[in-house]
């Protein structure tokens, strides 16, 4: 298993190293999304996110993201999601994910192209008692870029809660 992980990291490093020799371009993004969880420990809600990063060559981009999400659902019978989060009328609350975004494009220099995206980060939780903790935030997605517009469909995880996410947005800077 260690050899497999090492091989994957070596190949990824080689591909990114070759791509890094190409010109990198600023690439910002702004997204508005909705989340719906049809089964299990589900969540729903609306989100506004921004990613600021760089496109490296024609096939990759990486950036840091920040969001504001109104999360609906995830409440149990006691109306408590976790010891540090309380639900009111089925609303978990406003959370602010901080994450890294990785994208792989078929060819980002084209006016219309497909991409895969992966967000990975944390949602910080600050309690009134001075304690703090965090929940895992992840969202793999597939999407399409058409000039400056984008749309993607992903599956979002916030801690142990999950749901489908549909996002629409704009690319800021970065060419075509």
């Amino acid at each position: 298993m260690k050899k497999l992980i090492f091989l994957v990291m070596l190949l990824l490093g080689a591909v990114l190293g070759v791509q890094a020799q190409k010109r990198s371009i600023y690439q910002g993004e702004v997204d508005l999304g909705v989340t719906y969880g049809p089964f299990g420990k589900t969540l729903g809600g609306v989100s506004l996110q921004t990613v600021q990063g760089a496109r490296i060559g024609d096939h990759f981009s990486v950036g840091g993201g920040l969001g504001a999400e109104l999360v609906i659902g995830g409440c149990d019978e006691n109306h408590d999601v976790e010891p540090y989060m309380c639900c009111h009328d089925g609303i978990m609350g406003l959370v602010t994910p901080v994450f890294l975004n990785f994208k792989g494009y078929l060819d980002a220099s084209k006016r219309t192209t497909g991409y895969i995206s992966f967000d990975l980060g944390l949602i910080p939780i600050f309690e009134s008692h001075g304690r703090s903790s965090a929940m895992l935030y992840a969202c793999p997605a597939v999407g399409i870029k058409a000039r400056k517009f984008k749309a993607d469909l992903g599956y979002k995880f916030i801690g142990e809660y999950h749901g489908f996410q549909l996002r629409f947005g704009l690319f800021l800077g970065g060419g075509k």
Side-chain angles (χ1 to χ4, degrees):
M1 185 66 173
K2 289 181 182 179
K3 290 180 183 179
L4 178 63
I5 292 172
F6 177 73
L7 181 62
V8 168
M9 290 177 63
L10 183 65
L11 289 173
L12 184 62
V15 168
L16 289 176
V18 168
Q19 289 295 318
Q21 292 175 1
K22 296 183 179 181
R23 192 173 96 159
S24 66
I25 299 171
Y26 163 77
Q27 177 172 295
E29 303 173 28
V30 177
D31 297 321
L32 182 62
V34 294
T35 304
Y36 173 72
F39 43 77
K41 289 195 170 200
T42 63
L43 60 87
V46 294
S47 65
L48 177 64
Q49 297 179 335
T50 182
V51 174
Q52 303 301 312
R55 190 175 77 212
I56 303 167
D58 292 334
H59 300 284
F60 299 102
S61 72
V62 63
L66 181 66
E69 304 197 22
L70 180 63
V71 179
I72 300 168
C75 298
D76 64 14
E77 302 86 36
N78 300 325
H79 300 294
D80 288 331
V81 179
E82 298 290 342
Y84 46 78
M85 295 188 77
C86 183
C87 290
H88 301 285
D89 297 326
I91 297 175
M92 186 186 296
L94 185 66
V95 296
T96 55
V98 178
F99 57 93
L100 289 175
N101 172 265
F102 304 93
K103 279 194 181 58
Y105 300 90
L106 293 175
D107 187 349
S109 67
K110 304 279 185 197
R111 289 182 183 254
T112 302
T113 190
Y115 63 86
I116 57 172
S117 175
F118 186 68
D119 297 342
L120 181 63
L122 296 172
I123 296 176
I125 308 294
F126 302 102
E127 296 183 47
S128 59
H129 313 318
R131 266 184 39 208
S132 63
S133 59
M135 291 192 304
L136 177 68
Y137 175 85
C139 186
V142 295
I144 187 164
K145 167 190 170 282
R147 297 187 186 210
K148 298 282 184 185
F149 300 99
K150 62 179 263 197
D152 61 39
L153 177 64
Y155 201 75
K156 183 188 292 187
F157 298 88
I158 296 179
E160 60 188 70
Y161 302 94
H162 49 86
F164 288 100
Q165 181 177 52
L166 180 61
R167 291 186 291 205
F168 297 97
L170 295 171
F171 285 103
L172 310 171
K176 301 175 186 169

